[in-house]
């Protein structure tokens, strides 16, 4: 059976995509806590060194694979009517938000040993830099790499 046929036949048991984000929690010169994402290769180097490994935080997430039906639903929820043209247009901020809230299904975030559920309110409360970094990694994980694109 081809991979495409398997995706239809096993619609009830879709695989999840692992997206791992490495970051640091830093107090800036103004006393504010900020989150800095770290590229995976740099984070792995830092995790191997005694003097830097404690400064690296890891967020493990799981995302659903987008189906045609779910993609259409996200697009539909992301449309606004342009008051000048009366045409439906995609509002890209709403699209990105709907994608994240529809396809991010699990993470390993805890507070005092208690798992924090993945839901729209908790996603909204995450730092924007973290959410955007997760979304960008999910997008890269679900698309063809530029190096692979030219190869047949």
């Amino acid at each position: 059976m081809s991979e495409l046929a398997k995706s239809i036949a096993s619609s009830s048991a879709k695989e999840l995509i692992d997206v791992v984000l490495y970051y640091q929690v830093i107090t800036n010169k103004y006393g504010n806590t900020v989150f800095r994402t770290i590229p995976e290769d740099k984070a792995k180097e830092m995790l191997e060194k005694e003097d830097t490994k404690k400064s690296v935080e890891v967020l493990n997430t799981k995302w659903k694979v987008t189906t045609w039906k779910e993609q259409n639903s996200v697009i539909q929820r992301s449309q606004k009517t342009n008051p000048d043209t009366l045409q439906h247009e995609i509002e890209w901020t709403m699209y990105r938000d709907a994608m994240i809230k529809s396809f991010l299904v699990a993470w390993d975030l805890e507070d005092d040993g208690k798992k924090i559920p993945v839901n729209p309110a908790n996603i909204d409360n995450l730092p924007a830099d973290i959410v955007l970094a997760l979304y960008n990694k999910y997008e890269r994980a679900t698309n063809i790499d530029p190096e692979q694109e030219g190869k047949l």
Side-chain angles (χ1 to χ4, degrees):
M1 181 183 298
S2 74
E3 287 299 315
L4 185 58
K6 286 179 193 176
S7 73
I8 295 169
S10 64
S11 63
S12 63
K14 293 284 183 196
E15 71 177 71
L16 296 176
I17 298 170
D18 293 317
V19 175
V20 180
L21 185 69
Y22 300 92
Y23 65 96
Q24 290 179 306
V25 181
I26 299 169
T27 302
N28 67 15
K29 68 180 183 179
Y30 303 103
N32 297 317
T33 300
V34 294
F35 299 86
R36 176 173 54 190
T37 59
I38 308 168
E40 188 170 341
D41 55 344
K42 178 70 174 165
K44 288 183 177 181
E45 285 177 25
M46 293 172 71
L47 287 168
E48 291 176 3
K49 297 178 183 173
E50 284 300 317
D51 62 328
T52 56
K53 72 179 181 181
K54 289 185 180 179
S55 71
V56 178
E57 302 280 340
V58 182
L59 174 57
N60 294 291
T61 64
K62 294 197 177 289
W63 297 67
K64 290 187 338 184
V65 175
T66 310
T67 65
W68 179 248
K69 180 179 180 178
E70 292 165 325
Q71 179 70 30
N72 285 331
S73 174
V74 166
I75 290 172
Q76 187 176 31
R77 290 181 298 181
S78 305
Q79 291 182 350
K80 290 177 94 173
T81 303
N82 181 320
D84 297 327
T85 65
L86 301 178
Q87 297 292 313
H88 292 292
E89 296 176 356
I90 293 178
E91 210 296 322
W92 294 106
T93 304
M94 290 171 59
Y95 173 83
R96 183 179 59 209
D97 187 66
M99 286 290 291
I100 294 163
K101 291 175 180 172
S102 297
F103 299 109
L104 174 58
V105 295
W107 58 34
D108 60 355
L109 288 175
E110 295 183 354
D111 186 28
D112 292 328
K114 186 177 177 185
K115 287 192 77 74
I116 298 172
V118 176
N119 59 43
N122 287 337
I123 292 169
D124 284 343
N125 285 323
L126 287 171
D129 290 343
I130 296 295
V131 178
L132 290 171
L134 284 170
Y135 176 72
N136 290 336
K137 287 189 84 165
Y138 171 72
E139 283 289 303
R140 285 193 301 274
T142 56
N143 289 293
I144 295 175
D145 292 326
E147 304 89 48
Q148 293 175 317
E149 199 165 302
K151 297 179 183 177
L152 292 179

